[in-house]
Amino acid sequence: MEYPFEQIEKKWQKIWSDKKIFNAKNNTDKKNYYVLSMFPYPSGALHMGHVSNYSIADAITRYKMMQGYNVMQPMGYDSFGMPAENFAIQHNSHPRITTDQNIEIMRKQFDMMGFGIDWEREVSTCHSDYYKWGQWFFKKMYEKGLAYKKRSFQNWCDNCQTVLANEQVEDGKCWRCSSVVRQKELEQWFFKITEYAEELLDFSGVIDWPERVKTMQTNWIGKSFGTEIWFRMEDSEDLIKVFTTRPDTIFGCTFMALPPEHPLVTNWLKLKEEPENSKMHKFCDKIMNEDTINRTSEDTTKEGIFTGRFAINPVNGEKVQIWITNYVLMDYGTGAVMAVPAHDQRDFEFAKKYDIPMKLVIQNPEEKLILEEMKEAYTEPGILVNSDNFDGLESTESMTSISEWMTENNMGKVTITYRLRDWGVSRQRYWGNPIPIIYCEDCGTVLVPDEDLPIKLPENVQLGKTTQNPLLSADDWVNVKCPKCGKPARRETDTMDTFVDSSWYYARYADPKNNEMPFSKELADNWLPVDQYIGGIEHAVMHLMYARFFHKFMRDLGMVNSNEPFARLLTQGMVTKDGAKMGKSKNNAIDPQYIVDRYGSDTVRVFMLFASPPDKDSEWSDEGVKGAFRFLNRVWRLFEENLELIKNISVTLSDPAMPDRIEGSDNKLCAEIKKLRYSTHFTIKKVLNDIENRMQFNTAIAAIMEHLNNVYSIKNVETLNVAEKVIFVESCVAIPHLMYVFAPHLSEELWKIIGEENLLHEAGLPKFNEKYLIQDEITYVIQIMGKVRGKINVSVDATDDEIKKLALEVENVTKSLEGKEIKKMIIVPKKLVSIVAK
RNA sequence: GCGAAAGUGGCGGAGUUGGUAGACGCGCUGGCCUUAGAAGCCAGUGAGAGAAAUCUCGUAGGGGUUCGAGUCCCCUCUUUCGCACCA
């Protein structure tokens, strides 16, 4: 017989919902705890990745409720974005309709899982009561000088007249029409995240973030100390600024490398002597259309073209050739590189290929370098040569003095550079948040006034007619009066990156229905920072960094007090099947709905949490799900078989006089019951520790399984004396009490049928008694030269000498030591005896 | 290519500070129960040798530190994630 999971789960879901136990209160005596899962993109149905994510979050939610916190676990939908737009086009519908339908389905599935979500705080980013505040934030960014427009290069398909994401470019061709993709320079809106680069490197405001996420973000920001050096053009006053981390090699610079995107290059290409079909034009076009990952790859052949122009090295007045190359990026540093072929491998390869002069300026102190014989660049530290007054200095030490000297003589300055680039937020798409800007011929760029917010997306657009941004053809919407002068003007048609929506949603949950502001400061500070944030590792850098940036921005606006949005972070692993990520593209997805219908939500939760630690990938297994179901059935049967006994005794368990009576009767307890009592208290201790300190649900569940096996090993329950029966019942009751966080429906039901009045989250965490964890004997392992040769049981208070004596008496030990001399004996307390013998 | 992780039986995984490798679960094998099946229950299960006691080998591969290494150090390989317009 299977336990009636369907009936039980529906019943308790209704009770929880009716009693509103998951509706977080804004004002209580209890301490607040905010559990947040990354909100889902409403793709139509929950997948296993969601189930895994929310099972973890729900376990934490219920654990914290048992601990007595006022817990908030909200939910919402990240509902703007390209997939919804494409889906609507394919199905000849509108993204608003399909998105709302999808949300409806997902909401039902959340309920079927029984997650403890506070539905009164639900948000959806595509609803105007939410995106209004995204527009409001854009205006604030603009007012603070943090939103600005600049030209930047984007993947462009001429045929579709649209920008393409990197993932929409397949082998350099458009995914839709297969025409060749080129790089086009477009005016785009940016947020100045670089302004916060330094602060984003500081993680002192977070409590418990995985080291690897911090490292990835730190590397992404990529701070480096170096020197900016100013080269003058030979025949004009134009300056070329270069950034280098190796000012010690400046005297060895023999050429300069520019990317084709460099403004100087752009200017030169516009000159009359460079017709459209010139070599330089062709070269630049070719390089710009390669994708940047390939361009910077070390394997890529270095290519370049000599511009025929020269710059002057400020330190020695030497002429250096100016080249356009494929291996320098406009986005990093100053977008120009001083090339020192003798001491940089990329420059070395390039100089060899194009026969550019080299100059040795750092000599290897170990083995003298001869320029003509070098097979690769010498990049190690050494002694400066050919460097005027700096000759003879150690190269690493010379960096400071060279930089200082250059600063004094107006040749450059010491500077810090970040790899981090400003955040491009412009998207040429319909299904996103409109940027609140109006362009007027007379007044220029004008912000939309607050009273005109939200700018609602026009409904009557033609999706899929053209591949361009559909907003361009929404004439009624685009043509507006200038808010300043009233003359005809045009709206900005770009919408915002959806990462903007997801950068502050966690704060909106604190005050989701506010019509006056994004949220009130009081309520935000009441809940923020999020105590526990849970989501996929794929967001380690972008989403998590944008949200940190936004939070700091909101703090600087005086909207929140905290410095960080997420105090603790758990990055959960993927759900895989046959070693590959589960998903539509691999055609290996398992539908959670089907599994819940067959086995119930508790089974799915227990399986997902048991399959692996939350931060590791977990492999789906149909048989494993059955195993989880079997386990829950075993728990159910234990209570079914012993119901009368448990009911009768569990009532007296809460009688304060009971523990004393039991304790007094220790000598009447048989050995296996004493063991069972140890198991109960040990399991409680282990489960609490695994959840609280290690977030390791798989071992917590394993411990409960082991304990259940121990309970089942008591065969003669009827013949036990009263004291023994009490201990037996205690061992049973501990099971639903501990399992509430993993299998809440089943646990709640068992708790009820044994006669408990309150709900489990009100019962508090189970308690263990250290007294029952004391063991009178300890097993010591005996090792000889690191190999196990025997075991001894020793009383806890045995002295080292007694242990040594006993160890040497073990038969197998004596045998192994024959003909050997004992050099040393090491005793590790409560663990082992190690004998060194030769 | 750059950045970040991971690699333990047939499988998922355990092993918290260097101290009995393989907890727990799945699968498999044998048995009980049953008209039969399902379910359930009991026992066994890293490889090799041995009647057994026990011994040898074993944590991706190679080297090192240590009385003792899955755990620490160096090198190599493989897989996964991210790389700025997927979210």
Side-chain angles (χ1 to χ4, degrees), chain A residues 502-503 506 542-551 565-566:
Chain A
S502 56
S503 291
Y506 58 89
M542 302 188 69
H543 161 60
L544 286 167
M545 201 148 79
Y546 291 143
R548 291 180 65 219
F549 161 58
F550 233 88
H551 196 83
F566 314 118

Side-chain angles (χ1 to χ4, degrees), chain A residues 358-373:
Chain A
M358 296 196 199
K359 195 173 156 192
L360 189 76
V361 289
I362 295 175
Q363 187 52 261
N364 183 351
E366 313 275 316
E367 190 188 341
K368 197 174 179 199
L369 295 164
I370 297 163
L371 189 62
E372 292 71 31
E373 291 170 6

Side-chain angles (χ1 to χ4, degrees), chain A residues 45-56 109 112-113 115 572-577 582-583 588-596 604-605 607-608 618 620-622 625:
Chain A
L46 291 187
H47 56 68
M48 279 301 167
H50 294 129
V51 171
S52 155
N53 192 159
Y54 306 131
S55 296
I56 295 166
Q109 292 192 312
M112 137 199 123
M113 286 299 299
F115 292 134
Q572 140 241 15
M574 292 182 304
V575 184
T576 61
K577 186 155 185 284
M582 213 185 249
N588 61 353
I590 301 277
D591 181 10
Q593 179 80 55
Y594 172 79
I595 305 292
V596 174
V604 180
R605 291 164 179 247
F607 170 73
M608 291 301 323
S618 64
W620 180 264
S621 147
D622 292 335
V625 177

Side-chain angles (χ1 to χ4, degrees), chain A residues 415-591:
Chain A
T415 184
I416 291 168
T417 286
Y418 302 91
R419 205 179 66 97
L420 180 69
R421 309 203 297 258
D422 277 340
W423 175 11
V425 295
S426 280
R427 298 291 181 271
Q428 290 71 39
R429 301 186 205 290
Y430 169 72
W431 196 233
N433 192 358
I435 291 175
I437 291 284
I438 289 169
Y439 299 109
C440 169
E441 268 192 30
D442 292 348
C443 312
T445 304
V446 181
L447 285 175
V448 175
D450 280 353
E451 56 270 25
D452 293 346
L453 299 185
I455 305 157
K456 291 199 180 176
L457 281 171
E459 285 286 328
N460 57 340
V461 288
Q462 298 284 331
L463 287 176
K465 279 266 166 124
T466 67
T467 44
Q468 289 183 48
N469 181 358
L471 289 174
L472 284 167
S473 51
D475 291 338
D476 294 354
W477 184 81
V478 171
N479 296 311
V480 287
K481 281 182 181 161
C482 170
K484 268 194 187 162
C485 68
K487 283 187 190 159
R490 282 177 66 83
R491 279 194 197 285
E492 170 65 80
T493 55
D494 283 357
T495 51
M496 281 183 250
D497 181 6
T498 53
F499 273 126
V500 177
D501 307 321
S502 56
S503 291
W504 66 280
Y505 75 109
Y506 58 89
R508 179 71 177 173
Y509 285 132
D511 191 9
K513 298 196 171 72
N514 197 322
N515 286 323
E516 309 297 316
M517 291 187 287
F519 45 83
S520 82
K521 180 163 193 300
E522 190 196 345
L523 286 173
D525 285 336
N526 192 27
W527 287 106
L528 296 176
V530 172
D531 291 285
Q532 180 68 60
Y533 195 35
I534 304 144
I537 185 71
E538 66 271 22
H539 297 290
V541 175
M542 302 188 69
H543 161 60
L544 286 167
M545 201 148 79
Y546 291 143
R548 291 180 65 219
F549 161 58
F550 233 88
H551 196 83
K552 292 171 195 302
F553 168 64
M554 295 191 294
R555 176 205 58 201
D556 290 346
L557 290 177
M559 299 177 69
V560 289
N561 275 337
S562 37
N563 289 319
E564 292 281 347
F566 314 118
R568 291 177 201 81
L569 173 69
L570 176 74
T571 50
Q572 140 241 15
M574 292 182 304
V575 184
T576 61
K577 186 155 185 284
D578 310 317
K581 183 176 179 169
M582 213 185 249
K584 279 181 192 158
S585 54
K586 299 263 168 32
N587 209 19
N588 61 353
I590 301 277
D591 181 10

Side-chain angles (χ1 to χ4, degrees), chain A residues 647-684:
Chain A
K647 247 164 118 175
N648 290 337
I649 291 183
S650 68
V651 179
T652 55
L653 268 180
S654 44
D655 175 355
M658 201 62 190
D660 291 339
R661 264 195 291 165
I662 303 302
E663 275 168 36
S665 56
D666 243 26
N667 50 359
K668 291 183 201 147
L669 301 178
C670 62
E672 59 174 350
I673 283 292
K674 277 190 188 169
K675 265 194 189 163
L676 182 65
R677 184 170 64 187
Y678 176 84
S679 170
T680 306
H681 291 262
F682 178 83
T683 304
I684 294 171

Side-chain angles (χ1 to χ4, degrees), chain A residues 246 248 362-365 378-383 394-397:
Chain A
R246 292 291 305 273
D248 52 323
I362 295 175
Q363 187 52 261
N364 183 351
Y378 179 74
T379 55
E380 302 298 310
I383 303 301
E394 201 279 324
S395 62
T396 321
E397 287 164 9

